[in-house]
Amino acid sequence: TGQGLRSAFEYGYRNLLGYALGFTFRAEIGFQFFFQDAELERNISGLSVLDRLERRITASLALPQVAGLPNVRGTLDLVHLRDNQRAFGLDKNAVSLAFTWRPEPRVSLTWSAQIEHNGVSLFGGQTIEQILMEAMGNPQIVRLLRVPEGNSAVVSSRIGATIEQRDSSFVPTRGWYAAAGVEWARSVASEAIGDRPAPLMHILRITGTFNGYVPIDEVVIAIQGRLGGIVPLEDGQSTFANRQFFLGGVDTLRGFNQDQLQPQDLAPVLDPETAQILRGSEIFYLVRAEVRFPIYSAFHGAVFTDLGNHWA
């Protein structure tokens, strides 16, 4: 009743055209016809049949070796999404191409390029700010609305490197891991809404991570350091929220709910009426440390502390 009639289909083939070209296609669709209240029915039932049909369609091609180059893998991904929420609908289309080179098993270098289009249509005359206030930090809604209102398109390219020196990727007890990446992103289309100019984004997004693990008998000391920064490349540009940094949650700063740490320089000046809108930042640091210890068999415990902050 909450999400209507839903269906999913997936097809995979691992040796397309006899070249070990892997192909995966997945489609998920849903059609909502049962409404819990009049507002939801008014917002959704007035849409065209195509817009009411929620869907996530993905197609991927993966080539384990590109043009005879040793240890070079290529992937091509296509994504089409339509998602309806109580107060807005989101259309997304994206094409991404990536190549990964492993000069040796524990070192990988990646280059990727992507073009993505997002279209946000708001229901009931609300603004994105009003929807985010009512969402009260709901991570599903907040993450969907990290793009500008109306139609926008972004092209991006990223280079990254990782070095894996841990004894296990899943339950490491010794060794270290490092990763770094630089992404160039530029908006190529966006809409002016009302008297607001069309937003512009042209940035470099730089990130780095280091994890280390030191065993002492059956106890493991684990540390992590992460840094990130955004460099504007044009005057008057603003970073779209889907490229900003957010802190809070089990994978960043524990003790805060998901993405709920407000940027340090904004917290003292936020309007109390809009302070519940979660905001991203353009520079952050994060340091995490754990002492992991066995309790019984495969059951372990940990004592941890996290330190971090970010600024808009």
Side-chain angles (χ1 to χ4, degrees):
T1 58
Q3 295 178 304
L5 181 67
R6 294 177 293 167
S7 180
F9 171 82
E10 184 171 355
Y11 174 79
Y13 195 83
R14 291 186 290 180
N15 190 24
L16 194 65
L17 304 177
Y19 290 100
L21 181 64
F23 173 71
T24 303
F25 175 84
R26 181 171 178 83
E28 301 172 70
I29 60 173
F31 193 85
Q32 190 170 25
F33 59 90
F34 183 88
F35 302 101
Q36 297 95 329
D37 58 72
E39 180 191 13
L40 183 64
E41 182 175 9
R42 183 173 60 251
N43 290 342
I44 302 298
S45 62
L47 301 174
S48 67
V49 174
L50 185 61
D51 285 344
R52 286 186 65 178
L53 186 66
E54 296 186 86
R55 54 203 179 269
R56 177 187 295 271
I57 301 172
T58 60
S60 299
L61 289 171
L63 191 61
Q65 186 168 323
V66 177
L69 299 174
N71 303 320
V72 177
R73 175 185 175 88
T75 57
L76 175 67
D77 295 307
L78 304 152
V79 177
H80 170 68
L81 170 72
R82 171 68 188 189
D83 195 310
N84 289 325
Q85 298 289 329
R86 170 179 292 272
F88 68 93
L90 171 68
D91 289 290
K92 178 176 182 177
N93 299 282
V95 180
S96 61
L97 176 67
F99 295 97
T100 301
W101 175 41
R102 291 185 176 275
E104 57 181 78
R106 292 181 175 268
V107 177
S108 66
L109 303 173
T110 303
W111 173 84
S112 62
Q114 181 182 59
I115 181 167
E116 62 181 270
H117 163 266
N118 292 283
V120 177
S121 53
L122 306 181
F123 306 148
Q126 289 184 297
T127 65
I128 285 183
E129 289 74 18
Q130 290 171 329
I131 295 173
L132 291 175
M133 286 179 62
E134 294 179 0
M136 295 292 290
N138 182 318
Q140 179 187 14
I141 293 178
V142 169
R143 289 179 176 179
L144 287 173
L145 278 180
R146 285 181 181 170
V147 291
E149 182 180 350
N151 289 285
S152 61
V154 173
V155 294
S156 63
S157 180
R158 184 182 185 278
I159 56 173
T162 62
I163 303 176
E164 173 67 86
Q165 297 293 330
R166 298 175 293 187
D167 58 345
S168 167
S169 298
F170 298 100
V171 189
T173 60
R174 66 176 68 245
W176 56 276
Y177 167 88
V182 178
E183 180 188 31
W184 168 82
R186 181 171 186 169
S187 58
V188 292
S190 58
E191 284 188 59
I193 305 297
D195 57 356
R196 292 174 290 173
L200 164 71
M201 179 175 69
H202 191 193
I203 61 168
L204 286 179
R205 187 178 190 269
I206 304 168
T207 56
T209 299
F210 176 83
N211 293 357
Y213 305 87
V214 179
I216 303 175
D217 197 16
E218 292 187 325
V219 174
V220 176
I221 299 175
I223 59 171
Q224 181 187 76
R226 293 166 59 183
L227 291 170
I230 292 173
V231 180
L233 299 179
E234 288 189 41
D235 293 336
Q237 75 91 37
S238 60
T239 304
F240 293 178
N242 63 357
R243 291 304 196 282
Q244 291 179 325
F245 303 109
F246 291 82
L247 289 187
V250 66
D251 57 343
T252 56
L253 197 63
R254 291 164 287 192
F256 288 86
N257 287 334
Q258 188 67 40
D259 300 339
Q260 283 199 340
L261 183 69
Q262 297 284 23
Q264 178 67 43
D265 50 340
L266 294 185
V269 297
L270 288 176
D271 184 339
E273 294 185 357
T274 62
Q276 58 193 357
I277 299 176
L278 308 181
R279 292 169 171 83
S281 63
E282 299 204 354
I283 185 171
F284 85 99
Y285 79 91
L286 180 66
V287 179
R288 293 151 53 100
E290 293 183 352
V291 178
R292 303 173 181 175
F293 50 88
I295 296 177
Y296 176 75
S297 185
F299 186 58
H300 287 62
V303 177
F304 67 85
T305 183
D306 297 345
L307 175 67
N309 213 338
H310 61 159
W311 295 264

